[in-house]
Amino acid sequence: RRCVQETESRQAFDGLKYQRLNSPLKRRADGSFEEITWEEALRIAKEKIKSVKGSEMRGIIGPFTDVEAVVSFRDLLHKLGCERITYGNVENELHHDFRGEYLMGSRIR
């Protein structure tokens, strides 16, 4: 129960601090935004990603991103051929064995 309460509290705090998108937005030529469907947003993202070589990409991870999202994002970039991943404002790139860096010999006792 404690874990659930902590998660609920964190989400409540995040709701006060960050604005979340309910639907994707696309920028119009005049700079304003229009709502689009998730299917269209994913199609556009797919087209943009396919138009760039992996060696030309760089992944940037924000300072409040959870480890599961970081690992999934890193795995996606590696599948696309991108090895350049930076964490927030840190200039050093993450190593290829990122899982080994955050596991640190942890185990269930």
PDB file of all heavy atoms in Angstrom, residues 38-63:
ATOM      1  N   TRP A  38      -3.531  10.289 -32.553  1.00  0.00           N
ATOM      2  CA  TRP A  38      -2.295   9.604 -32.200  1.00  0.00           C
ATOM      3  C   TRP A  38      -1.753   8.834 -33.401  1.00  0.00           C
ATOM      4  O   TRP A  38      -0.541   8.748 -33.598  1.00  0.00           O
ATOM      5  CB  TRP A  38      -2.521   8.666 -31.014  1.00  0.00           C
ATOM      6  CG  TRP A  38      -2.647   9.424 -29.732  1.00  0.00           C
ATOM      7  CD1 TRP A  38      -3.777   9.655 -29.023  1.00  0.00           C
ATOM      8  CD2 TRP A  38      -1.595  10.081 -29.021  1.00  0.00           C
ATOM      9  NE1 TRP A  38      -3.502  10.414 -27.907  1.00  0.00           N
ATOM     10  CE2 TRP A  38      -2.160  10.690 -27.885  1.00  0.00           C
ATOM     11  CE3 TRP A  38      -0.223  10.216 -29.239  1.00  0.00           C
ATOM     12  CZ2 TRP A  38      -1.408  11.415 -26.971  1.00  0.00           C
ATOM     13  CZ3 TRP A  38       0.523  10.935 -28.326  1.00  0.00           C
ATOM     14  CH2 TRP A  38      -0.067  11.519 -27.213  1.00  0.00           C
ATOM     15  N   GLU A  39      -2.645   8.287 -34.225  1.00  0.00           N
ATOM     16  CA  GLU A  39      -2.209   7.553 -35.414  1.00  0.00           C
ATOM     17  C   GLU A  39      -1.440   8.471 -36.354  1.00  0.00           C
ATOM     18  O   GLU A  39      -0.389   8.099 -36.883  1.00  0.00           O
ATOM     19  CB  GLU A  39      -3.408   6.932 -36.143  1.00  0.00           C
ATOM     20  CG  GLU A  39      -4.066   5.798 -35.404  1.00  0.00           C
ATOM     21  CD  GLU A  39      -5.014   6.256 -34.297  1.00  0.00           C
ATOM     22  OE1 GLU A  39      -5.360   7.462 -34.221  1.00  0.00           O
ATOM     23  OE2 GLU A  39      -5.402   5.401 -33.484  1.00  0.00           O
ATOM     24  N   GLU A  40      -1.956   9.685 -36.563  1.00  0.00           N
ATOM     25  CA  GLU A  40      -1.262  10.630 -37.440  1.00  0.00           C
ATOM     26  C   GLU A  40       0.069  11.063 -36.841  1.00  0.00           C
ATOM     27  O   GLU A  40       1.071  11.185 -37.540  1.00  0.00           O
ATOM     28  CB  GLU A  40      -2.126  11.864 -37.722  1.00  0.00           C
ATOM     29  CG  GLU A  40      -1.360  12.905 -38.504  1.00  0.00           C
ATOM     30  CD  GLU A  40      -2.203  13.695 -39.465  1.00  0.00           C
ATOM     31  OE1 GLU A  40      -3.436  13.612 -39.418  1.00  0.00           O
ATOM     32  OE2 GLU A  40      -1.594  14.416 -40.266  1.00  0.00           O
ATOM     33  N   ALA A  41       0.092  11.283 -35.534  1.00  0.00           N
ATOM     34  CA  ALA A  41       1.331  11.693 -34.865  1.00  0.00           C
ATOM     35  C   ALA A  41       2.399  10.614 -35.010  1.00  0.00           C
ATOM     36  O   ALA A  41       3.568  10.914 -35.302  1.00  0.00           O
ATOM     37  CB  ALA A  41       1.059  11.983 -33.399  1.00  0.00           C
ATOM     38  N   LEU A  42       2.015   9.355 -34.837  1.00  0.00           N
ATOM     39  CA  LEU A  42       2.969   8.264 -34.979  1.00  0.00           C
ATOM     40  C   LEU A  42       3.422   8.099 -36.426  1.00  0.00           C
ATOM     41  O   LEU A  42       4.588   7.791 -36.688  1.00  0.00           O
ATOM     42  CB  LEU A  42       2.370   6.961 -34.452  1.00  0.00           C
ATOM     43  CG  LEU A  42       2.176   6.923 -32.933  1.00  0.00           C
ATOM     44  CD1 LEU A  42       1.394   5.671 -32.525  1.00  0.00           C
ATOM     45  CD2 LEU A  42       3.496   6.995 -32.208  1.00  0.00           C
ATOM     46  N   ARG A  43       2.514   8.320 -37.368  1.00  0.00           N
ATOM     47  CA  ARG A  43       2.891   8.246 -38.792  1.00  0.00           C
ATOM     48  C   ARG A  43       3.916   9.322 -39.121  1.00  0.00           C
ATOM     49  O   ARG A  43       4.924   9.068 -39.788  1.00  0.00           O
ATOM     50  CB  ARG A  43       1.655   8.403 -39.685  1.00  0.00           C
ATOM     51  CG  ARG A  43       1.959   8.275 -41.181  1.00  0.00           C
ATOM     52  CD  ARG A  43       0.755   8.634 -42.041  1.00  0.00           C
ATOM     53  NE  ARG A  43       0.221   9.964 -41.793  1.00  0.00           N
ATOM     54  CZ  ARG A  43       0.797  11.107 -42.197  1.00  0.00           C
ATOM     55  NH1 ARG A  43       1.935  11.070 -42.854  1.00  0.00           N
ATOM     56  NH2 ARG A  43       0.238  12.269 -41.951  1.00  0.00           N
ATOM     57  N   ILE A  44       3.694  10.548 -38.639  1.00  0.00           N
ATOM     58  CA  ILE A  44       4.626  11.653 -38.887  1.00  0.00           C
ATOM     59  C   ILE A  44       5.980  11.355 -38.256  1.00  0.00           C
ATOM     60  O   ILE A  44       7.032  11.553 -38.869  1.00  0.00           O
ATOM     61  CB  ILE A  44       4.042  12.979 -38.353  1.00  0.00           C
ATOM     62  CG1 ILE A  44       2.828  13.394 -39.188  1.00  0.00           C
ATOM     63  CG2 ILE A  44       5.099  14.079 -38.344  1.00  0.00           C
ATOM     64  CD1 ILE A  44       2.031  14.546 -38.582  1.00  0.00           C
ATOM     65  N   ALA A  45       5.955  10.855 -37.005  1.00  0.00           N
ATOM     66  CA  ALA A  45       7.210  10.519 -36.319  1.00  0.00           C
ATOM     67  C   ALA A  45       7.970   9.443 -37.087  1.00  0.00           C
ATOM     68  O   ALA A  45       9.195   9.527 -37.261  1.00  0.00           O
ATOM     69  CB  ALA A  45       6.924  10.064 -34.898  1.00  0.00           C
ATOM     70  N   LYS A  46       7.251   8.445 -37.583  1.00  0.00           N
ATOM     71  CA  LYS A  46       7.880   7.363 -38.349  1.00  0.00           C
ATOM     72  C   LYS A  46       8.546   7.910 -39.611  1.00  0.00           C
ATOM     73  O   LYS A  46       9.684   7.550 -39.927  1.00  0.00           O
ATOM     74  CB  LYS A  46       6.820   6.323 -38.718  1.00  0.00           C
ATOM     75  CG  LYS A  46       7.340   5.163 -39.526  1.00  0.00           C
ATOM     76  CD  LYS A  46       6.204   4.201 -39.850  1.00  0.00           C
ATOM     77  CE  LYS A  46       6.645   3.106 -40.788  1.00  0.00           C
ATOM     78  NZ  LYS A  46       5.535   2.215 -41.155  1.00  0.00           N
ATOM     79  N   GLU A  47       7.850   8.801 -40.331  1.00  0.00           N
ATOM     80  CA  GLU A  47       8.408   9.400 -41.549  1.00  0.00           C
ATOM     81  C   GLU A  47       9.667  10.205 -41.238  1.00  0.00           C
ATOM     82  O   GLU A  47      10.662  10.123 -41.963  1.00  0.00           O
ATOM     83  CB  GLU A  47       7.373  10.294 -42.229  1.00  0.00           C
ATOM     84  CG  GLU A  47       6.232   9.542 -42.868  1.00  0.00           C
ATOM     85  CD  GLU A  47       5.134  10.476 -43.375  1.00  0.00           C
ATOM     86  OE1 GLU A  47       5.292  11.714 -43.281  1.00  0.00           O
ATOM     87  OE2 GLU A  47       4.106   9.961 -43.848  1.00  0.00           O
ATOM     88  N   LYS A  48       9.622  10.991 -40.167  1.00  0.00           N
ATOM     89  CA  LYS A  48      10.776  11.821 -39.790  1.00  0.00           C
ATOM     90  C   LYS A  48      11.965  10.948 -39.405  1.00  0.00           C
ATOM     91  O   LYS A  48      13.097  11.226 -39.793  1.00  0.00           O
ATOM     92  CB  LYS A  48      10.424  12.747 -38.631  1.00  0.00           C
ATOM     93  CG  LYS A  48       9.342  13.749 -38.937  1.00  0.00           C
ATOM     94  CD  LYS A  48       9.847  14.866 -39.788  1.00  0.00           C
ATOM     95  CE  LYS A  48       8.751  15.904 -39.981  1.00  0.00           C
ATOM     96  NZ  LYS A  48       9.155  16.971 -40.864  1.00  0.00           N
ATOM     97  N   ILE A  49      11.710   9.891 -38.634  1.00  0.00           N
ATOM     98  CA  ILE A  49      12.791   9.009 -38.198  1.00  0.00           C
ATOM     99  C   ILE A  49      13.412   8.285 -39.387  1.00  0.00           C
ATOM    100  O   ILE A  49      14.630   8.162 -39.488  1.00  0.00           O
ATOM    101  CB  ILE A  49      12.284   8.002 -37.146  1.00  0.00           C
ATOM    102  CG1 ILE A  49      12.004   8.741 -35.829  1.00  0.00           C
ATOM    103  CG2 ILE A  49      13.269   6.868 -36.933  1.00  0.00           C
ATOM    104  CD1 ILE A  49      11.289   7.913 -34.782  1.00  0.00           C
ATOM    105  N   LYS A  50      12.574   7.837 -40.332  1.00  0.00           N
ATOM    106  CA  LYS A  50      13.089   7.125 -41.508  1.00  0.00           C
ATOM    107  C   LYS A  50      13.893   8.034 -42.440  1.00  0.00           C
ATOM    108  O   LYS A  50      14.710   7.554 -43.216  1.00  0.00           O
ATOM    109  CB  LYS A  50      11.940   6.488 -42.292  1.00  0.00           C
ATOM    110  CG  LYS A  50      11.446   5.207 -41.679  1.00  0.00           C
ATOM    111  CD  LYS A  50      10.447   4.536 -42.601  1.00  0.00           C
ATOM    112  CE  LYS A  50      10.188   3.127 -42.139  1.00  0.00           C
ATOM    113  NZ  LYS A  50       9.377   2.378 -43.078  1.00  0.00           N
ATOM    114  N   SER A  51      13.676   9.347 -42.358  1.00  0.00           N
ATOM    115  CA  SER A  51      14.363  10.270 -43.260  1.00  0.00           C
ATOM    116  C   SER A  51      15.772  10.627 -42.774  1.00  0.00           C
ATOM    117  O   SER A  51      16.501  11.338 -43.463  1.00  0.00           O
ATOM    118  CB  SER A  51      13.536  11.553 -43.429  1.00  0.00           C
ATOM    119  OG  SER A  51      13.545  12.318 -42.234  1.00  0.00           O
ATOM    120  N   VAL A  52      16.174  10.115 -41.612  1.00  0.00           N
ATOM    121  CA  VAL A  52      17.479  10.442 -41.034  1.00  0.00           C
ATOM    122  C   VAL A  52      18.257   9.156 -40.772  1.00  0.00           C
ATOM    123  O   VAL A  52      17.696   8.169 -40.299  1.00  0.00           O
ATOM    124  CB  VAL A  52      17.290  11.220 -39.702  1.00  0.00           C
ATOM    125  CG1 VAL A  52      18.623  11.543 -39.071  1.00  0.00           C
ATOM    126  CG2 VAL A  52      16.474  12.465 -39.920  1.00  0.00           C
ATOM    127  N   LYS A  53      19.548   9.166 -41.062  1.00  0.00           N
ATOM    128  CA  LYS A  53      20.405   8.014 -40.760  1.00  0.00           C
ATOM    129  C   LYS A  53      20.650   7.964 -39.250  1.00  0.00           C
ATOM    130  O   LYS A  53      20.704   8.990 -38.583  1.00  0.00           O
ATOM    131  CB  LYS A  53      21.752   8.154 -41.459  1.00  0.00           C
ATOM    132  CG  LYS A  53      21.675   8.092 -42.956  1.00  0.00           C
ATOM    133  CD  LYS A  53      23.062   8.275 -43.532  1.00  0.00           C
ATOM    134  CE  LYS A  53      23.011   8.413 -45.036  1.00  0.00           C
ATOM    135  NZ  LYS A  53      24.330   8.742 -45.588  1.00  0.00           N
ATOM    136  N   GLY A  54      20.854   6.764 -38.734  1.00  0.00           N
ATOM    137  CA  GLY A  54      21.129   6.601 -37.313  1.00  0.00           C
ATOM    138  C   GLY A  54      22.365   7.360 -36.863  1.00  0.00           C
ATOM    139  O   GLY A  54      22.422   7.898 -35.762  1.00  0.00           O
ATOM    140  N   SER A  55      23.376   7.431 -37.734  1.00  0.00           N
ATOM    141  CA  SER A  55      24.608   8.138 -37.390  1.00  0.00           C
ATOM    142  C   SER A  55      24.405   9.646 -37.288  1.00  0.00           C
ATOM    143  O   SER A  55      25.241  10.352 -36.723  1.00  0.00           O
ATOM    144  CB  SER A  55      25.697   7.824 -38.414  1.00  0.00           C
ATOM    145  OG  SER A  55      25.279   8.241 -39.707  1.00  0.00           O
ATOM    146  N   GLU A  56      23.289  10.151 -37.830  1.00  0.00           N
ATOM    147  CA  GLU A  56      22.991  11.587 -37.774  1.00  0.00           C
ATOM    148  C   GLU A  56      22.089  11.946 -36.594  1.00  0.00           C
ATOM    149  O   GLU A  56      21.815  13.114 -36.368  1.00  0.00           O
ATOM    150  CB  GLU A  56      22.302  12.021 -39.070  1.00  0.00           C
ATOM    151  CG  GLU A  56      23.149  11.811 -40.302  1.00  0.00           C
ATOM    152  CD  GLU A  56      22.378  12.045 -41.590  1.00  0.00           C
ATOM    153  OE1 GLU A  56      21.139  11.944 -41.589  1.00  0.00           O
ATOM    154  OE2 GLU A  56      23.043  12.315 -42.601  1.00  0.00           O
ATOM    155  N   MET A  57      21.641  10.938 -35.856  1.00  0.00           N
ATOM    156  CA  MET A  57      20.728  11.169 -34.731  1.00  0.00           C
ATOM    157  C   MET A  57      21.494  11.358 -33.433  1.00  0.00           C
ATOM    158  O   MET A  57      22.633  10.927 -33.297  1.00  0.00           O
ATOM    159  CB  MET A  57      19.801   9.967 -34.535  1.00  0.00           C
ATOM    160  CG  MET A  57      18.850   9.709 -35.624  1.00  0.00           C
ATOM    161  SD  MET A  57      17.852   8.266 -35.157  1.00  0.00           S
ATOM    162  CE  MET A  57      16.986   7.999 -36.670  1.00  0.00           C
ATOM    163  N   ARG A  58      20.831  11.987 -32.478  1.00  0.00           N
ATOM    164  CA  ARG A  58      21.324  12.062 -31.105  1.00  0.00           C
ATOM    165  C   ARG A  58      20.107  11.966 -30.196  1.00  0.00           C
ATOM    166  O   ARG A  58      19.128  12.673 -30.380  1.00  0.00           O
ATOM    167  CB  ARG A  58      22.060  13.352 -30.830  1.00  0.00           C
ATOM    168  CG  ARG A  58      22.475  13.480 -29.353  1.00  0.00           C
ATOM    169  CD  ARG A  58      23.213  14.758 -29.052  1.00  0.00           C
ATOM    170  NE  ARG A  58      24.502  14.811 -29.693  1.00  0.00           N
ATOM    171  CZ  ARG A  58      25.625  14.305 -29.185  1.00  0.00           C
ATOM    172  NH1 ARG A  58      25.587  13.684 -28.031  1.00  0.00           N
ATOM    173  NH2 ARG A  58      26.755  14.421 -29.819  1.00  0.00           N
ATOM    174  N   GLY A  59      20.188  11.094 -29.214  1.00  0.00           N
ATOM    175  CA  GLY A  59      19.126  10.976 -28.221  1.00  0.00           C
ATOM    176  C   GLY A  59      19.460  11.833 -27.020  1.00  0.00           C
ATOM    177  O   GLY A  59      20.578  11.799 -26.520  1.00  0.00           O
ATOM    178  N   ILE A  60      18.509  12.621 -26.558  1.00  0.00           N
ATOM    179  CA  ILE A  60      18.709  13.459 -25.372  1.00  0.00           C
ATOM    180  C   ILE A  60      17.680  13.050 -24.337  1.00  0.00           C
ATOM    181  O   ILE A  60      16.483  13.053 -24.609  1.00  0.00           O
ATOM    182  CB  ILE A  60      18.566  14.955 -25.718  1.00  0.00           C
ATOM    183  CG1 ILE A  60      19.590  15.333 -26.787  1.00  0.00           C
ATOM    184  CG2 ILE A  60      18.730  15.798 -24.464  1.00  0.00           C
ATOM    185  CD1 ILE A  60      19.452  16.744 -27.304  1.00  0.00           C
ATOM    186  N   ILE A  61      18.154  12.710 -23.144  1.00  0.00           N
ATOM    187  CA  ILE A  61      17.301  12.229 -22.066  1.00  0.00           C
ATOM    188  C   ILE A  61      17.244  13.291 -20.980  1.00  0.00           C
ATOM    189  O   ILE A  61      18.279  13.779 -20.525  1.00  0.00           O
ATOM    190  CB  ILE A  61      17.849  10.902 -21.502  1.00  0.00           C
ATOM    191  CG1 ILE A  61      17.879   9.856 -22.623  1.00  0.00           C
ATOM    192  CG2 ILE A  61      17.027  10.443 -20.319  1.00  0.00           C
ATOM    193  CD1 ILE A  61      18.689   8.638 -22.302  1.00  0.00           C
ATOM    194  N   GLY A  62      16.035  13.649 -20.563  1.00  0.00           N
ATOM    195  CA  GLY A  62      15.845  14.668 -19.533  1.00  0.00           C
ATOM    196  C   GLY A  62      16.223  14.171 -18.148  1.00  0.00           C
ATOM    197  O   GLY A  62      16.277  12.960 -17.896  1.00  0.00           O
ATOM    198  N   PRO A  63      16.451  15.090 -17.218  1.00  0.00           N
ATOM    199  CA  PRO A  63      16.931  14.712 -15.879  1.00  0.00           C
ATOM    200  C   PRO A  63      15.904  13.987 -15.018  1.00  0.00           C
ATOM    201  O   PRO A  63      16.274  13.353 -14.039  1.00  0.00           O
ATOM    202  CB  PRO A  63      17.313  16.051 -15.255  1.00  0.00           C
ATOM    203  CG  PRO A  63      16.522  17.065 -15.996  1.00  0.00           C
ATOM    204  CD  PRO A  63      16.353  16.537 -17.387  1.00  0.00           C
TER     205      PRO A  63
END
